Amino acid sequence: MTLLTALPGQADDTELRQALNAARHQQWNRINHAEIADHVLEGYVEYHELKSRLPGVDPAAVNEYLHRFNDSPLSAWMRGVAQSAYGRAGRFDALLAVSDGPPDSTERQCWFYRALLDRDPERAAMGGRRLWLNGHSRPDVCNPLFDRLRANGGIDADDIWARMLMAWKAENDSLVSYLEKMLPDSWQTASNLLDRIRQNPEALLSATHQLEHNDSAASTLYTATFYRLTRDDPAQALELWQRVDSTAPLSGEQRHEIEHDLAFYSMVRHVNENANWTDTAITRLGDQDLLELRTRHALVEQHWGSVVKWIEQMAPDERRDAQWQYWLGRARQQLGDTASSQQAWQVAASQRSFFGFLAADRLSQPYELHGQKLTIAPSDLQDAAQLGPIRRVRALYRIDEPGLARAEWYYLIRHAADAQIPTLAQYALNQHWYDLAIYAAIHGDQWNSLNWRFPVAFEQQFEHWGNQRDIDPWLLMGVARRESSFNPQAQSPVGARGLMQLMPGTAAHVSRQLGIDYTGVDSLEQVDHNIRLGSAYLKQLIKRYQGNRVAAIAAYNAGPGNADRWLARGPLPLDLFVESITYSETRAYVKAVLSYRVIFAAEHKGTTKGISMLTPNERDARYGVTMTP
């Protein structure tokens, strides 16, 4: 992709906005092409026009459009809608003509491989078989492809059986029944055995004998059975595994997968009768996720010797992480080994993270940020301003199309050379496109460029409402950074909106308490209004938990009910309370917000000296029911 090709000058934004709105509604007579000629966003209007003429458009016209906008998501969108339109119309030559490889969506892949059936049968068979091997139903447009492949042997009985077991694992019983009817008579024994196992897993004991001439069918049946049973009843699964382990026709990888699942779900479900086997299996398997989960269980139980044991079994690179060095130090301290605990905390304190900061607090030393600030030449920023994608981003913001602006930016960053990322990140920051600067920095692995990853965004509003609520503005910024990356239009799948990701119900409730009108969800995209309500809600939570921000942050993410439930397990010291939070998302959220607050405060102050992640009360408190109302 050529990023340095500047586009022609721009026409009037008002005319373009009106033309784009008309194009979306296919009101072609309202579009004045002369008025929008050479506007940097003219291609968006053309996109809708070209799309409306499909599938009757010559693929050469589509390819010409794709070429002109190869630096824009417009090309990907146009290719996709053209593939679908040509596929539905049976214009398979045209579909292949506009394709540059297999499409992204399942439906379009089915069209694509159908188009290849008579042109490249081997490739069609490989692609079609990959689509087939899935435990969920596929779009109806895939059926002709699958029918052809089944007829010519591209999908055979082994594949039907494999998909049946995938469907069983996915609890898609209707698909299991549908596929069962496709199996040839020679597979009746296997099919009957599966039916019995679905009713009673103990029937697996006869699988090796009944399927001795079909090791492939047997091995997949074993793995599917233990997949389901382990999730339903880990104790029964382990009892059955110990009876069949020595004779099961499984590869080393399949055995590892079964035992990994058994150990994982035995811990997650707290199956005490599996505990001894689980500990032995974790040592044998050596999987990092199992070691981490086992360490966390030992922490909750405050078995400090076990904490040391499990951390020391981690691979050296994993063990060096600040989290595990912090807990190694904590455990050794509890066991009376002060010198070793100090050594572990020194390793942790050298890292920029929640646990690195906790370790630094233990050692009474400033936090390490390892920040770097790259200098971008003004000429590079001027060149960036002339890039076609950036000109489109600016224009899309001007006509109030932030979603399309972000799509342009994401496409640009994903296709840009690594060396261009710093310039693009700085350009975004200069334009106050805070979320775009963050996206560029993270995508470009600019982990130490804290001014891009943690821009001091909307500082005036955060300071104003922080002062009004008597809340540290850096804490408010930490919440907003974690919630939305400072995207005022952010929307979550469950409906939270804006910088601080307020649920509409919460916003309405807080508005009533403040005596202000709530004018609907769209108002939550207004920066000042969102911070006003979000800061008020956070202040309520801080009051609820007697001034403790740690508990309040957990409640902000997971709701007060869940936070109260976690506190009820106490009293616990701060570090163990955070580690005992059941929801991994909330556990990570609390750590992130508190550490982000440190970074924002240090960026503002220019040093970490004198900055504390926690107040003395938060650091020394016992987290328990006494904090709840």
Side-chain angles (χ1 to χ4, degrees):
M1 176 175 73
T2 302
L3 294 180
L4 296 177
T5 301
L7 297 183
Q10 74 177 45
D12 181 71
D13 284 341
T14 302
E15 288 287 346
L16 190 286
R17 184 187 293 110
Q18 293 173 350
L20 181 55
N21 185 58
R24 283 169 169 160
H25 294 87
Q26 298 191 24
Q27 298 169 338
W28 313 121
N29 61 334
R30 292 182 51 208
I31 298 174
N32 187 334
H33 285 280
E35 292 293 336
I36 65 171
D38 294 335
H39 192 285
V40 71
L41 299 179
E42 185 181 11
Y44 278 84
V45 176
E46 186 180 352
Y47 167 83
H48 289 283
E49 292 176 325
L50 193 57
K51 177 183 175 182
S52 71
R53 290 161 41 210
L54 289 167
V57 180
D58 190 297
V62 174
N63 280 329
E64 191 275 333
Y65 182 91
L66 300 181
H67 177 74
R68 277 192 289 123
F69 294 100
N70 72 323
D71 62 352
S72 168
L74 286 168
S75 60
W77 300 336
M78 177 54 66
R79 177 175 279 112
V81 297
Q83 287 168 330
S84 293
Y86 288 142
R88 285 191 294 268
R91 295 191 60 187
F92 293 141
D93 286 336
L95 186 155
L96 294 176
V98 301
S99 298
D100 60 351
D104 292 331
S105 77
T106 299
E107 180 176 328
R108 289 168 185 164
Q109 286 183 41
C110 286
W111 290 123
F112 179 79
Y113 290 118
R114 280 180 66 182
L116 287 176
L117 277 170
D118 297 322
R119 298 160 181 81
D120 191 342
E122 183 176 351
R123 188 180 180 195
M126 291 177 60
R129 185 172 177 275
R130 283 194 298 269
L131 289 167
W132 169 267
L133 291 173
N134 189 284
H136 299 279
S137 297
R138 306 310 246 166
D140 289 344
V141 300
C142 299
N143 290 337
L145 171 66
F146 295 155
D147 291 344
R148 280 278 301 274
L149 292 177
R150 285 172 51 218
N152 64 24
I155 292 175
D156 59 18
D158 283 327
D159 297 321
I160 297 171
W161 175 253
R163 191 179 182 198
M164 279 179 62
L165 297 180
M166 289 178 176
W168 182 39
K169 289 165 68 174
E171 301 184 59
N172 191 342
D173 292 339
S174 61
L175 182 58
V176 172
S177 300
Y178 173 77
L179 294 167
E180 198 167 20
K181 298 172 184 176
M182 297 182 183
L183 282 174
D185 292 342
S186 58
W187 281 73
Q188 193 62 50
T189 299
S191 181
N192 292 339
L193 181 57
L194 174 59
D195 288 340
R196 292 200 302 276
I197 290 173
R198 290 169 68 188
Q199 299 299 318
N200 177 17
E202 294 280 328
L204 183 68
L205 293 169
S206 62
T208 303
H209 171 69
Q210 294 191 39
L211 301 178
E212 58 185 347
H213 300 300
N214 195 337
D215 286 346
S216 175
S219 64
T220 53
L221 182 59
Y222 271 85
T223 56
T225 299
F226 280 104
Y227 180 94
R228 283 294 301 267
L229 185 57
T230 297
R231 285 153 178 78
D232 293 339
D233 189 340
Q236 183 186 4
L238 178 58
E239 192 275 334
L240 183 59
W241 175 245
Q242 291 176 322
R243 294 166 67 187
V244 304
D245 178 18
S246 60
T247 58
L250 297 167
S251 67
E253 182 179 350
Q254 289 169 325
R255 290 176 182 277
H256 190 112
E257 179 182 348
I258 289 171
E259 294 195 331
H260 176 280
D261 276 5
L262 276 168
F264 179 83
Y265 283 96
S266 295
M267 287 189 286
V268 169
R269 305 280 172 77
H270 301 282
V271 184
N272 293 331
E273 57 263 47
N274 289 9
N276 290 335
W277 177 90
T278 297
D279 282 356
T280 301
I282 292 171
T283 298
R284 182 175 67 255
L285 299 173
D287 294 340
Q288 179 65 19
D289 63 330
L290 297 180
L291 289 166
E292 290 184 8
L293 184 57
R294 185 63 183 87
T295 302
R296 190 167 285 114
H297 278 218
L299 287 168
V300 171
E301 296 159 357
Q302 298 187 51
H303 291 170
W304 298 108
S306 292
V307 171
V308 173
K309 168 188 171 181
W310 295 114
I311 292 176
E312 288 184 340
Q313 288 188 42
M314 296 178 184
D317 287 347
E318 301 287 355
R319 187 170 66 241
R320 183 176 169 77
D321 183 84
Q323 178 174 7
W324 307 119
Q325 286 298 307
Y326 173 82
W327 286 119
L328 191 59
R330 184 85 154 78
R332 286 172 172 167
Q333 180 201 44
Q334 292 292 130
L335 295 170
D337 190 348
T338 303
S340 293
S341 70
Q342 299 279 313
Q343 291 174 356
W345 283 336
Q346 283 290 353
V347 175
S350 67
Q351 300 174 49
R352 181 183 62 238
S353 71
F354 173 79
F355 284 105
F357 298 158
L358 279 187
D361 286 342
R362 294 271 178 180
L363 298 170
S364 299
Q365 59 189 48
Y367 304 139
E368 293 286 349
L369 295 187
H370 303 290
Q372 63 178 14
K373 192 168 185 177
L374 300 180
T375 300
I376 307 300
S379 59
D380 290 341
L381 294 172
Q382 292 169 4
D383 289 342
Q386 299 307 310
L387 297 177
I390 286 186
R391 295 183 66 205
R392 287 193 293 271
V393 172
R394 289 201 306 267
L396 286 164
Y397 276 127
R398 288 199 308 268
I399 67 169
D400 195 25
E401 293 284 352
L404 292 179
R406 291 186 180 93
E408 283 278 357
W409 182 263
Y410 300 157
Y411 194 89
L412 167 62
I413 297 301
R414 289 195 301 268
H415 292 82
D418 291 344
Q420 290 181 299
I421 296 295
T423 298
L424 296 173
Q426 185 61 50
Y427 183 87
L429 186 61
N430 290 353
Q431 300 296 313
H432 298 169
W433 300 340
Y434 301 116
D435 58 315
L436 304 193
I438 292 168
Y439 181 86
I442 292 174
H443 189 84
D445 295 332
Q446 298 291 323
W447 302 112
N448 292 328
S449 298
L450 302 184
N451 59 315
W452 297 334
R453 289 185 58 215
F454 299 95
V456 184
F458 310 111
E459 181 177 12
Q460 185 176 11
Q461 293 95 323
F462 280 113
E463 286 190 349
H464 172 76
W465 291 112
N467 292 333
Q468 288 287 314
R469 313 288 186 221
D470 192 26
I471 301 177
D472 179 0
W474 311 118
L475 180 66
L476 296 177
M477 294 184 72
V479 170
R481 169 62 176 80
R482 179 66 178 188
E483 290 283 1
S484 67
S485 291
F486 297 125
N487 172 8
Q489 290 83 32
Q491 298 184 32
S492 78
V494 296
R497 301 286 284 264
L499 284 180
M500 299 187 72
Q501 286 291 277
L502 288 167
M503 292 296 292
T506 301
H509 178 70
V510 172
S511 295
R512 286 193 297 272
Q513 291 182 321
L514 295 177
I516 62 177
D517 291 334
Y518 174 62
T519 57
V521 294
D522 289 344
S523 68
L524 298 180
E525 295 184 3
Q526 299 169 13
V527 170
D528 191 74
H529 188 61
N530 190 282
I531 298 173
R532 181 183 187 183
L533 298 182
S535 61
Y537 179 54
L538 183 57
K539 182 64 175 180
Q540 290 177 10
L541 294 174
I542 292 173
K543 287 183 177 178
R544 177 188 178 95
Y545 298 107
Q546 303 175 29
N548 189 288
R549 299 172 305 168
V550 180
I553 293 166
Y556 193 97
N557 177 258
N562 284 314
D564 292 351
R565 180 165 54 85
W566 297 325
L567 288 166
R569 297 173 178 172
L572 291 170
L574 172 279
D575 51 9
L576 286 176
F577 167 70
V578 173
E579 203 64 34
S580 71
I581 291 174
T582 305
Y583 297 168
S584 59
E585 176 190 340
T586 304
R587 203 163 56 239
Y589 182 92
V590 170
K591 297 172 187 176
V593 169
L594 291 170
S595 57
Y596 290 178
R597 180 208 159 270
V598 168
I599 295 171
F600 282 120
E603 286 286 287
H604 176 77
K605 188 176 180 180
T607 179
T608 62
K609 291 182 179 179
I611 293 175
S612 295
M613 182 169 63
L614 303 163
T615 67
N617 285 339
E618 291 164 347
R619 185 176 60 248
D620 301 331
R622 304 294 289 183
Y623 287 72
V625 291
T626 57
M627 289 184 176
T628 59

